[in-house]
Coordinates of all heavy atoms in Angstrom, one line a residue:
H324 N -12.3 18.8 5.2 CA -11.7 18.5 6.6 C -11.6 17.0 6.7 O -12.2 16.3 6.0 CB -12.7 19.0 7.6 CG -12.9 20.5 7.6 ND1 -12.0 21.4 8.2 CD2 -13.8 21.3 7.1 CE1 -12.4 22.6 8.0 NE2 -13.5 22.6 7.4
P325 N -10.7 16.6 7.6 CA -10.5 15.2 7.7 C -11.8 14.5 8.1 O -12.6 15.1 8.7 CB -9.5 15.1 8.9 CG -8.8 16.4 8.9 CD -9.8 17.4 8.4
P326 N -11.9 13.2 7.7 CA -10.8 12.4 7.1 C -10.7 12.7 5.6 O -11.7 12.9 4.9 CB -11.3 11.0 7.3 CG -12.8 11.1 7.4 CD -13.1 12.4 8.0
L327 N -9.5 12.7 5.1 CA -9.2 12.9 3.7 C -8.6 11.7 3.1 O -8.0 10.9 3.8 CB -8.3 14.1 3.6 CG -8.8 15.5 4.2 CD1 -7.6 16.5 4.2 CD2 -9.9 16.0 3.4
L328 N -8.6 11.7 1.8 CA -7.9 10.6 1.1 C -6.4 10.8 1.5 O -5.9 12.0 1.6 CB -8.0 10.7 -0.4 CG -9.4 10.4 -0.9 CD1 -9.5 10.7 -2.4 CD2 -9.7 8.9 -0.7
P329 N -5.6 9.8 1.7 CA -4.2 9.9 2.2 C -3.4 10.9 1.3 O -2.6 11.7 1.9 CB -3.7 8.5 2.1 CG -4.9 7.6 2.2 CD -6.0 8.4 1.6
A330 N -3.6 10.9 0.0 CA -2.8 11.8 -0.8 C -3.1 13.3 -0.6 O -2.2 14.1 -0.9 CB -3.0 11.4 -2.3
Y331 N -4.2 13.6 -0.1 CA -4.6 15.0 0.1 C -4.4 15.4 1.6 O -4.4 16.6 1.8 CB -6.1 15.1 -0.2 CG -6.4 15.1 -1.7 CD1 -6.6 13.9 -2.3 CD2 -6.4 16.2 -2.4 CE1 -6.8 13.8 -3.7 CE2 -6.6 16.2 -3.8 CZ -6.8 15.0 -4.4 OH -7.0 14.9 -5.8
A332 N -4.2 14.5 2.5 CA -4.0 14.9 3.9 C -2.8 15.9 4.1 O -2.9 16.8 4.9 CB -3.8 13.7 4.8
A333 N -1.8 15.7 3.4 CA -0.6 16.5 3.5 C -0.8 18.0 3.0 O -0.1 18.9 3.3 CB 0.6 15.9 2.8
H334 N -1.9 18.1 2.1 CA -2.2 19.4 1.6 C -3.1 20.3 2.4 O -3.3 21.4 2.1 CB -2.8 19.3 0.2 CG -1.8 18.6 -0.8 ND1 -0.8 19.2 -1.4 CD2 -1.8 17.3 -1.2 CE1 -0.1 18.4 -2.2 NE2 -0.7 17.2 -2.1
A335 N -3.7 19.7 3.4 CA -4.7 20.4 4.2 C -4.1 21.5 5.0 O -3.0 21.3 5.4 CB -5.5 19.4 5.1
P336 N -4.8 22.6 5.2 CA -6.1 22.9 4.7 C -6.0 23.5 3.3 O -5.4 24.5 3.0 CB -6.6 24.0 5.6 CG -5.4 24.7 6.0 CD -4.3 23.7 6.0
Y337 N -6.6 22.8 2.3 CA -6.6 23.3 0.9 C -8.1 23.6 0.6 O -9.0 23.5 1.4 CB -6.1 22.2 0.0 CG -6.9 20.9 -0.1 CD1 -7.8 20.8 -1.1 CD2 -6.7 19.9 0.8 CE1 -8.6 19.6 -1.2 CE2 -7.4 18.7 0.7 CZ -8.4 18.6 -0.3 OH -9.1 17.5 -0.3
N338 N -8.3 24.1 -0.6 CA -9.6 24.5 -1.0 C -10.0 23.8 -2.3 O -9.2 23.3 -3.1 CB -9.7 26.0 -1.3 CG -8.8 26.5 -2.4 OD1 -9.0 26.2 -3.6 ND2 -7.6 27.1 -2.0
A339 N -11.3 23.7 -2.5 CA -11.9 23.3 -3.8 C -12.9 24.3 -4.2 O -13.7 24.7 -3.4 CB -12.5 21.9 -3.7
I340 N -12.7 24.9 -5.4 CA -13.6 26.0 -5.7 C -14.4 25.7 -7.0 O -14.0 24.8 -7.8 CB -12.8 27.3 -5.9 CG1 -11.9 27.3 -7.1 CG2 -12.1 27.8 -4.7 CD1 -11.2 28.6 -7.5
I341 N -15.5 26.3 -7.1 CA -16.3 26.3 -8.3 C -16.2 27.6 -9.0 O -16.5 28.7 -8.3 CB -17.8 25.9 -8.1 CG1 -17.9 24.5 -7.4 CG2 -18.6 25.9 -9.4 CD1 -19.3 24.1 -7.0
V342 N -15.8 27.7 -10.2 CA -15.6 28.9 -10.9 C -16.7 29.1 -12.0 O -16.9 28.2 -12.8 CB -14.2 29.0 -11.6 CG1 -14.1 30.3 -12.4 CG2 -13.1 29.0 -10.5
E343 N -17.3 30.2 -12.0 CA -18.3 30.6 -13.0 C -17.5 31.4 -14.1 O -16.9 32.4 -13.7 CB -19.4 31.5 -12.4 CG -20.4 32.1 -13.3 CD -21.4 32.9 -12.5 OE1 -21.0 34.1 -12.2 OE2 -22.5 32.5 -12.2
L344 N -17.5 30.9 -15.3 CA -16.8 31.6 -16.4 C -17.4 32.9 -16.7 O -18.6 33.1 -16.8 CB -16.7 30.7 -17.6 CG -15.9 29.4 -17.4 CD1 -15.9 28.6 -18.8 CD2 -14.5 29.6 -16.9
A345 N -16.5 33.9 -17.0 CA -17.0 35.3 -17.3 C -17.8 35.3 -18.6 O -18.9 36.0 -18.6 CB -15.8 36.2 -17.5
E346 N -17.5 34.6 -19.6 CA -18.2 34.6 -20.9 C -19.4 33.7 -20.9 O -20.3 33.7 -21.8 CB -17.4 34.1 -22.1 CG -16.1 34.9 -22.3 CD -14.9 34.3 -21.6 OE1 -15.0 33.6 -20.6 OE2 -13.8 34.5 -22.1
A347 N -19.5 32.8 -19.9 CA -20.5 31.8 -19.9 C -20.9 31.5 -18.4 O -20.5 30.5 -17.8 CB -20.1 30.5 -20.6
P348 N -21.7 32.4 -17.8 CA -22.0 32.2 -16.4 C -22.7 30.9 -16.0 O -22.6 30.5 -14.9 CB -23.0 33.4 -16.1 CG -22.7 34.4 -17.2 CD -22.3 33.6 -18.4
R349 N -23.3 30.2 -17.0 CA -23.9 28.9 -16.7 C -22.9 27.8 -16.7 O -23.2 26.7 -16.3 CB -25.1 28.6 -17.6 CG -26.3 29.6 -17.4 CD -27.4 29.2 -18.2 NE -27.1 29.2 -19.6 CZ -27.7 28.5 -20.6 NH1 -28.8 27.8 -20.3 NH2 -27.4 28.6 -21.8
I350 N -21.7 28.1 -17.2 CA -20.6 27.1 -17.2 C -19.8 27.3 -15.9 O -19.3 28.3 -15.7 CB -19.7 27.2 -18.5 CG1 -20.5 27.1 -19.7 CG2 -18.6 26.2 -18.4 CD1 -21.1 25.8 -20.1
R351 N -19.7 26.2 -15.2 CA -18.9 26.2 -13.9 C -17.9 25.1 -13.9 O -18.3 24.0 -14.2 CB -19.9 26.2 -12.8 CG -20.8 27.4 -12.8 CD -21.7 27.4 -11.6 NE -22.6 28.6 -11.7 CZ -23.9 28.6 -11.7 NH1 -24.5 27.4 -11.6 NH2 -24.6 29.7 -11.8
L352 N -16.7 25.4 -13.6 CA -15.6 24.5 -13.5 C -15.1 24.3 -12.1 O -15.1 25.3 -11.3 CB -14.4 24.9 -14.4 CG -14.8 25.1 -15.9 CD1 -13.6 25.6 -16.6 CD2 -15.3 23.9 -16.5
V353 N -14.7 23.1 -11.7 CA -14.2 22.9 -10.4 C -12.7 22.9 -10.4 O -12.1 22.4 -11.4 CB -14.7 21.5 -9.9 CG1 -14.1 21.2 -8.5 CG2 -16.2 21.5 -9.8

Side-chain angles (χ1 to χ4, degrees):
H324 296 282
L327 300 169
L328 293 172
Y331 288 86
H334 299 281
Y337 65 94
N338 62 72
I340 64 172
I341 299 175
V342 174
E343 175 183 80
L344 295 182
E346 302 94 332
R349 292 185 302 156
I350 303 289
R351 297 185 182 122
L352 303 177
V353 176

